[in-house]
């Protein structure tokens, strides 16, 4: 099994940057990919970005050109560097890991962008 612990959320002004992290523990060798999703109040959870264990990345439309996902396999950690943030980016950001076909979720740090 896998446990995910996120960190780095908080309050940032519009136009600013923020990096959030997701550290996996447990049987991390079986993690095929780590992803970020986000959920704003009253909205459905949406895909933000993903990275496979081989380093292949994919982005949702809202993240393209502004967010960068990266990973450190040795630390079993994924990072999401967010820049040019705007108030529409305000949401709870959830880390997700795919492990032998099973899904694991983190607790979700709050990211708030003030105008």
């Amino acid at each position: 099994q896998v446990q995910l612990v996120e960190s780095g959320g908080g309050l940032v002004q519009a136009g600013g940057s923020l990096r959030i992290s997701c550290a996996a523990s447990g049987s991390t060798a079986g993690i095929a990919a780590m992803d970020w999703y986000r959920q704003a109040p009253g909205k459905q959870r949406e895909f933000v970005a993903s990275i496979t264990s081989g380093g292949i990345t994919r982005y949702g439309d809202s993240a393209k050109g502004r967010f960068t996902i990266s990973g450190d396999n040795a630390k079993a950690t994924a990072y999401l560097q967010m820049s040019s943030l705007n108030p529409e980016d305000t949401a709870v950001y959830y880390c997700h890991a795919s492990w032998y076909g099973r899904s694991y979720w983190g607790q979700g740090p709050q990211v708030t962008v003030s105008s």
Side-chain angles (χ1 to χ4, degrees):
Q1 291 190 347
V2 171
Q3 296 79 42
L4 303 175
V5 177
E6 299 130 322
S7 60
L11 175 65
V12 62
Q13 289 188 332
S17 299
L18 194 67
R19 189 178 82 159
I20 54 179
S21 303
C22 176
S25 61
S27 301
T28 60
I31 294 176
M34 293 180 73
D35 322 296
W36 288 98
Y37 288 77
R38 69 184 186 184
Q39 188 165 20
K43 295 186 178 181
Q44 291 187 332
R45 189 171 297 189
E46 68 168 337
F47 170 75
V48 177
S50 69
I51 185 167
T52 68
S53 58
I56 297 172
T57 59
R58 185 168 63 94
Y59 295 91
D61 289 341
S62 64
K64 290 178 181 177
R66 299 188 302 129
F67 296 179
T68 301
I69 189 170
S70 60
D72 185 332
N73 286 340
K75 296 181 179 180
T77 299
Y79 306 93
L80 185 68
Q81 177 69 47
M82 303 180 286
S83 60
S84 301
L85 287 162
N86 58 66
E88 289 69 39
D89 296 314
T90 295
V92 177
Y93 283 71
Y94 294 95
C95 178
H96 168 266
S98 301
W99 184 85
Y100 294 115
R102 299 177 65 177
S103 286
Y104 291 86
W105 294 91
Q107 78 281 7
Q110 174 71 44
V111 172
T112 302
V113 183
S114 63
S115 57

